[in-house]
Amino acid sequence: MNALFKDVHYSIRIFLKSPGFTVPAVAALALGIGATTAVFSIVNTVLLKPLSIFESDRFVMLMTTGISETGGRIFDSDASPAKFEQWRAQSSVIQDVSAFRTGVMNYTGGEVAEQLRSMQASMDFFRCWGIRIVQGRTFALEESLPNGPRVALISEDVWRRRFASDSQIIGKAVSLSGGPYSVIGILADSPALREFGPPPEVYVPFQFDPNTSDQENYFKVVARLKPGVRLEQAKARLQASASEYRAKFPETLGPNTGFTVRLFRDALVGDTRPLLLILESAVGLVLLIACANVANLLLMRATGRRREIAIRSAIGAGRDRLIRQLLTESLLLALVGGALGLLLGYGGIRALLAVNTADLPFVGQNGSAVSIDWRVMWFALGVSLVTGIVFGLFPALQSSRLDLNSILKDSGGRSGAGSRQNKALAALVVSETSLAVILLVGSALLIRSLVALYAVDRGFETKNVLTMQTSLAGPKYLKSLDTANTIRTGLERIRSLPGVVEASATCCLPLQGGYGLPFEIIGRPSIDSRDAPDGVWSVVSPGYFGVFKIPVKRGRTFNEGDNNRARRVVIINEHLAKEYWKDSDPLKDQIVIGTGLMKEFKDEPPRQIIGIVGDVRNAGLNADPTLDRLMYVPLAQLPDAETAWLTRNGLMAWVVRTTREPHGLVPAIREELRQATGLPASSVFSMDEVMSLSTGKQRFNMLLMTVFGCVALLLAAIGIYGLMAYSVGQRTQEIGIRLALGAKASQVRSMVVGQGAILTLAGVVIGISAAWGLSRLLESLLFGVSARDPMVFFAVPAMLGAVALLAVWLPARRASQVNPMDSLRY
């Protein structure tokens, strides 16, 4: 230990005396270890960190599964009441089967209406999640049946904030979404629920008929494996139950679909796991480049210490003692770089997640759940130690293998490095360059992918369009006429504001999907419901197409005359028209939407197609455009059952086109809506922001890979510059002699540049060859660009070559300016 302390003390002294070496080495390590730790902190949160759910290894999500067109397994976590009742009956393998759905409810009991995060939950939900009751009780059986009592549970936070910790709150009625609900309990804040998102503030019961045949998929179902039951046993039982379900409902479950269970973490992580593994591999390459860079610095520095090391060896230091001293120095460098990298990586990843979480599960709002726990600390320490050994061992072995006689006889301070060391330096630079090429190809492919995504024809204009949402659930909005009148009043008030060009309301914003429903074309033969044509059902009010500037191809759009007293009408988009009316005119036909799927649509009348509008990317910019078969229905013409279903299941979005940047009008628009509806408006976004959110995952991938690529490029450039500067320094006498014998400065420059160009070319060739093979791994992350895009594979070597040329040119210029007399004298 005494010898170790001496080695550490000596290492600190020489590092402090040579900041020109220490600072670049620590900076390179901080970048490499920091990037690695940053990505690992996400991997730790998403894949490794234990969930807050009690016995999470038994906590599962129930899902429908099937086979995709490419033969892969697909999973659907949305469930229907009929599926829920089927799954709840599988009590031999699972227990506490629970349905839940998040949303919002309007609390209207205070001076100002307020939106509360809500959750509909079945009776066993709270036992399944392990949520503690502060006061009162949870839902009873009679409250979970149709037409049961209206009851609610509130969170402890709402109890304190909104009800001033009223100890007599149990049994009192509160106004939620226009109706009275009796408070039956107060729930403690549950860390388990935070795994799924922001915790709800109010809970109301799902009310299912045990004999239901309702096939509408609109909620999630979780359960716990029974003690002693393995996951494979539960999967087998659920798959067997799919045959029973198919026998009862043959039209709703295809022959290639079934039921399964997945661990809750696996269900939420989904396709995120491959992305994280790709990012870990990429950041591993950054760390290797940093190691190669520091190893280069150590090898170069070892040349200046050859005499020191020879003297140590001559006075009795064994080779193992020399290696230990040199490894102590490299480990000390790695630990300092690791400590700085830990802080740098944590700060960087939190800053990135605060801007964009890419919908990663378990990371919390703005990345709040990503933290430095013992796993991240041990990982950073382990990476630092391994890194210190990796980049320090080879220089230590090289430096300890010395010819003492030749070094001690040489009185000059500029004894050159051996050819073996020069080859080692060159090999490290080539490896840095090749790894940088691989990372740059990956980042360039993702940049091209994002550019292609934004170049997609959206079918609508986003500039100066504002959106906000209001929950219209409640008794007041069960009738279509009342809902239509409220919305018309709100739109009239908004349109009267200065700066507003047009306003409308809709159930579903572009890029955020809609309700997929089958339809029947009147006059054509009826077919099996599973093979019936289908489209995306969207409810809009007049002015919608003007707000988004969606072009009208044929016919007309909706107007105020399309009300509940007029002929029922519908507008379809071009894609739907081309697919189902190849040889006929859709404007001459009528369709019936949703018949036979849900009881709410049993009164849906035939609708005359009155217009065809341009295609809109409704499911997302990167979604299959064939899914965007749209059917627009005027809100004022919905039957009462459909209106009640719509307002109960979702928020109504207000869309407003303005003459200027729209956020300045938010307070005025909110006030007009409050005057018209008495309700608060939330989720205020411009359509530019909505589009940005829809591409969040792609931007996250691109940004991280671009950062890694730029760091790799910087480190590679530093490595090339360092090697060439070192080479010029070692060959100063030789260059002086060449110049003294008549060599031109341009010839010396060309000689140095040529050496650097050969190393760069070798690295580029190796890197491009490796990237050509590895690029296939990125295919799942790309959009609109080939994994072997020729532009990328041409641009990356060109860019790296330009940077390398600059890195080589500076030492070459210095070499050409050597004074022959000075170099020969010294």
Side-chain angles (χ1 to χ4, degrees):
M1 292 302 296
N2 186 51
L4 176 63
F5 288 142
K6 286 182 178 180
D7 288 346
V8 171
H9 183 258
Y10 178 73
S11 299
I12 293 173
R13 283 175 53 206
I14 62 174
F15 287 152
L16 292 176
K17 288 183 177 181
S18 53
F21 161 79
T22 306
V23 172
V26 170
L29 289 171
L31 286 173
I33 297 174
T36 308
T37 304
V39 173
F40 178 78
S41 67
I42 297 180
V43 172
N44 175 56
T45 302
V46 176
L47 300 181
L48 304 177
K49 193 175 179 179
L51 301 181
S52 302
I53 301 169
F54 174 68
E55 293 185 348
S56 59
D57 58 331
R58 292 175 50 216
F59 195 72
V60 296
M61 182 171 282
L62 284 76
M63 312 179 84
T64 304
T65 183
I67 305 297
S68 68
E69 294 180 358
T70 58
R73 178 69 62 179
I74 56 175
F75 299 94
D76 184 2
S77 61
D78 288 340
S80 68
K83 290 177 184 176
F84 173 66
E85 295 298 337
Q86 177 74 17
W87 293 340
R88 193 154 61 167
Q90 313 310 312
S91 56
S92 61
V93 292
I94 53 178
Q95 63 187 31
D96 299 333
V97 181
S98 309
F100 67 99
R101 179 180 66 161
T102 58
V104 298
M105 297 186 78
N106 298 314
Y107 172 67
T108 53
E111 294 181 0
V112 179
E114 177 184 359
Q115 275 190 3
L116 299 178
R117 294 187 301 274
S118 68
M119 177 173 283
Q120 277 185 282
S122 60
M123 184 173 62
D124 296 324
F125 175 85
F126 307 98
R127 182 169 60 247
C128 183
W129 285 82
I131 301 175
R132 184 172 60 86
I133 307 296
V134 176
Q135 287 187 37
R137 61 175 178 84
T138 59
F139 304 137
L141 177 60
E142 63 273 12
E143 294 159 351
S144 302
L145 296 175
N147 302 315
R150 285 190 171 190
V151 295
L153 294 113
I154 59 175
S155 71
E156 196 171 14
D157 175 65
V158 167
W159 177 53
R160 292 195 183 100
R161 175 173 57 83
R162 175 54 67 181
F163 299 102
S165 301
D166 182 4
S167 59
Q168 306 298 317
I169 189 67
I170 304 300
K172 288 186 177 180
V174 296
S175 179
L176 296 172
S177 293
Y181 284 78
S182 177
V183 177
I184 61 170
I186 301 169
L187 298 177
D189 182 26
S190 171
L193 281 177
R194 293 184 182 274
E195 308 286 9
F196 201 77
E201 297 169 302
V202 60
Y203 302 76
V204 294
F206 263 130
Q207 297 181 327
F208 293 136
D209 180 356
N211 301 311
T212 183
S213 59
D214 187 351
Q215 301 297 330
E216 182 190 358
N217 297 295
Y218 62 98
F219 55 85
K220 313 289 183 186
V221 177
V222 293
R224 286 190 174 275
L225 298 178
K226 297 198 75 170
V229 174
R230 299 191 309 274
L231 187 65
E232 291 71 21
Q233 291 176 284
K235 287 181 177 179
R237 176 61 258 176
L238 264 292
Q239 185 60 33
S241 77
S243 301
E244 304 165 11
Y245 186 84
R246 192 178 294 110
K248 288 192 291 185
F249 307 107
E251 295 185 352
T252 60
L253 198 65
N256 294 324
T257 56
F259 299 148
T260 190
V261 296
R262 299 183 76 186
L263 290 176
F264 184 71
R265 182 193 290 276
D266 293 341
L268 262 62
V269 168
D271 59 358
T272 301
R273 190 185 300 270
L275 165 64
L276 295 177
L277 294 178
I278 288 173
L279 292 178
E280 273 291 353
S281 301
V283 81
L285 297 182
V286 174
L287 185 59
L288 285 176
I289 295 174
C291 288
N293 214 303
V294 178
N296 248 335
L297 290 172
L298 286 172
L299 280 172
M300 296 173 195
R301 185 168 175 271
T303 302
R305 299 180 65 188
R306 287 161 65 88
R307 192 170 183 82
E308 170 206 335
I309 293 172
I311 293 173
R312 284 173 175 271
S313 182
I315 62 177
R319 190 180 181 205
D320 59 338
R321 182 67 182 83
L322 292 173
I323 292 175
R324 190 178 74 189
Q325 169 62 44
L326 296 172
L327 275 180
T328 300
E329 295 175 14
S330 63
L331 286 171
L332 186 61
L333 273 180
L335 290 173
V336 174
L340 292 176
L342 180 63
L343 298 176
L344 178 68
Y346 177 69
I349 204 65
R350 285 299 300 271
L352 177 61
L353 291 174
V355 176
N356 180 7
T357 62
D359 292 328
L360 291 170
F362 309 124
V363 299
Q365 189 173 10
N366 298 328
S368 58
V370 178
S371 59
I372 300 179
D373 62 6
W374 65 268
R375 292 176 191 80
V376 178
M377 294 286 289
W378 277 109
F379 176 83
L381 178 61
V383 168
S384 300
L385 293 175
V386 171
T387 299
I389 295 172
V390 167
F391 73 72
L393 186 60
F394 180 65
L397 292 173
Q398 287 281 88
S399 300
S400 64
R401 250 195 321 256
L402 298 173
D403 183 353
L404 301 184
N405 289 328
S406 62
I407 293 176
L408 293 175
K409 287 178 182 178
D410 185 2
S411 61
R414 284 174 128 350
S415 55
S419 62
R420 179 183 297 174
Q421 183 168 342
N422 286 335
K423 289 178 181 178
L425 288 168
L428 287 171
V429 167
V430 169
S431 66
E432 285 185 68
T433 306
S434 59
L435 292 174
V437 168
I438 296 172
L439 283 172
L440 287 169
V441 166
S443 59
L445 285 172
L446 290 174
I447 291 172
R448 288 264 292 145
S449 182
L450 190 66
V451 171
L453 198 62
Y454 274 87
V456 167
D457 182 10
R458 302 184 294 271
F460 63 93
E461 292 189 14
T462 61
K463 186 177 180 181
N464 293 343
V465 175
L466 184 72
T467 73
M468 57 182 66
Q469 296 182 319
T470 300
S471 173
L472 298 181
K476 181 179 178 181
Y477 302 105
L478 295 178
K479 299 293 184 181
S480 297
L481 183 60
D482 295 334
T483 302
N485 287 338
T486 299
I487 290 175
R488 184 172 60 253
T489 301
L491 292 176
E492 287 174 353
R493 299 182 73 102
I494 293 173
R495 288 170 184 147
S496 67
L497 291 173
V500 171
V501 177
E502 181 58 281
S504 183
T506 179
C507 67
C508 316
L509 291 173
L511 303 178
Q512 294 186 348
Y515 300 98
L517 295 175
F519 65 91
E520 178 184 348
I521 303 172
I522 301 298
R524 295 191 188 181
S526 298
I527 57 178
D528 187 280
S529 61
R530 282 181 296 182
D531 299 321
D534 66 293
V536 176
W537 181 74
S538 185
V539 178
V540 302
S541 67
Y544 176 84
F545 302 101
V547 168
F548 290 107
K549 295 189 176 180
I550 300 173
V552 180
K553 302 298 184 178
R554 292 182 60 196
R556 67 173 179 88
T557 60
F558 302 135
N559 55 47
E560 296 297 339
D562 294 314
N563 53 39
N564 63 340
R565 296 184 299 274
R567 179 182 62 167
R568 298 313 192 247
V569 294
V570 62
I571 294 173
I572 62 175
N573 71 337
E574 275 190 300
H575 185 77
L576 188 68
K578 290 176 181 177
E579 184 164 352
Y580 295 110
W581 282 271
K582 293 183 177 69
D583 302 315
S584 58
D585 184 2
L587 297 184
K588 295 179 179 179
D589 282 339
Q590 294 179 312
I591 61 174
V592 180
I593 302 171
T595 303
L597 182 68
M598 296 181 295
K599 63 180 185 297
E600 286 85 1
F601 282 78
K602 63 182 176 58
D603 296 327
E604 171 67 13
R607 294 182 179 275
Q608 177 65 47
I609 301 173
I610 62 168
I612 302 173
V613 296
D615 293 334
V616 169
R617 287 286 183 146
N618 200 63
L621 293 178
N622 62 337
D624 184 354
T626 61
L627 300 176
D628 293 327
R629 300 186 291 263
L630 293 170
M631 305 175 290
Y632 300 97
V633 174
L635 190 145
Q637 289 190 346
L638 292 184
D640 288 344
E642 290 180 32
T643 297
W645 174 83
L646 181 67
T647 55
R648 183 177 68 248
N649 285 283
L651 300 172
M652 186 61 63
W654 308 87
V655 292
V656 184
R657 174 167 289 280
T658 64
T659 57
R660 58 181 186 272
E661 202 287 321
H663 282 95
L665 288 171
V666 169
I669 293 174
R670 270 181 159 165
E671 178 58 24
E672 294 299 335
L673 289 178
R674 191 189 67 79
Q675 294 285 345
T677 65
L679 301 174
S682 62
S683 302
V684 179
F685 297 102
S686 69
M687 275 307 296
D688 288 323
E689 291 169 332
V690 171
M691 189 172 74
S692 180
L693 290 171
S694 74
T695 59
K697 185 171 290 188
Q698 291 79 10
R699 288 186 296 109
F700 180 84
N701 300 341
M702 183 273 295
L703 184 58
L704 268 185
M705 285 294 290
T706 301
V707 170
F708 297 159
C710 290
V711 170
L713 181 63
L714 175 63
L715 291 175
I718 291 173
I720 295 171
Y721 170 81
L723 175 60
M724 299 315 300
Y726 168 77
S727 176
V728 168
Q730 294 299 311
R731 298 175 64 184
T732 300
Q733 287 183 333
E734 173 203 336
I735 292 171
I737 293 172
R738 287 176 179 271
L739 292 171
L741 293 176
K744 296 180 180 179
S746 60
Q747 291 175 314
V748 173
R749 281 197 301 268
S750 298
M751 177 186 69
V752 177
V753 169
Q755 291 172 346
I758 291 173
L759 294 178
T760 303
L761 182 62
V764 167
V765 170
I766 296 172
I768 285 292
S769 302
W772 185 265
L774 295 174
S775 61
R776 292 293 187 190
L777 300 176
L778 285 175
E779 280 185 321
S780 62
L781 305 181
L782 302 180
F783 173 83
V785 61
S786 167
R788 292 174 174 174
D789 181 57
M791 181 180 294
V792 168
F793 281 84
F794 173 79
V796 166
M799 179 178 66
L800 187 59
V803 173
L805 179 62
L806 177 62
V808 171
W809 176 258
L810 296 175
R813 182 172 176 271
R814 173 187 164 194
S816 67
Q817 294 174 342
V818 167
N819 186 319
M821 294 304 295
D822 290 341
S823 65
L824 294 175
R825 183 179 297 115
Y826 297 105

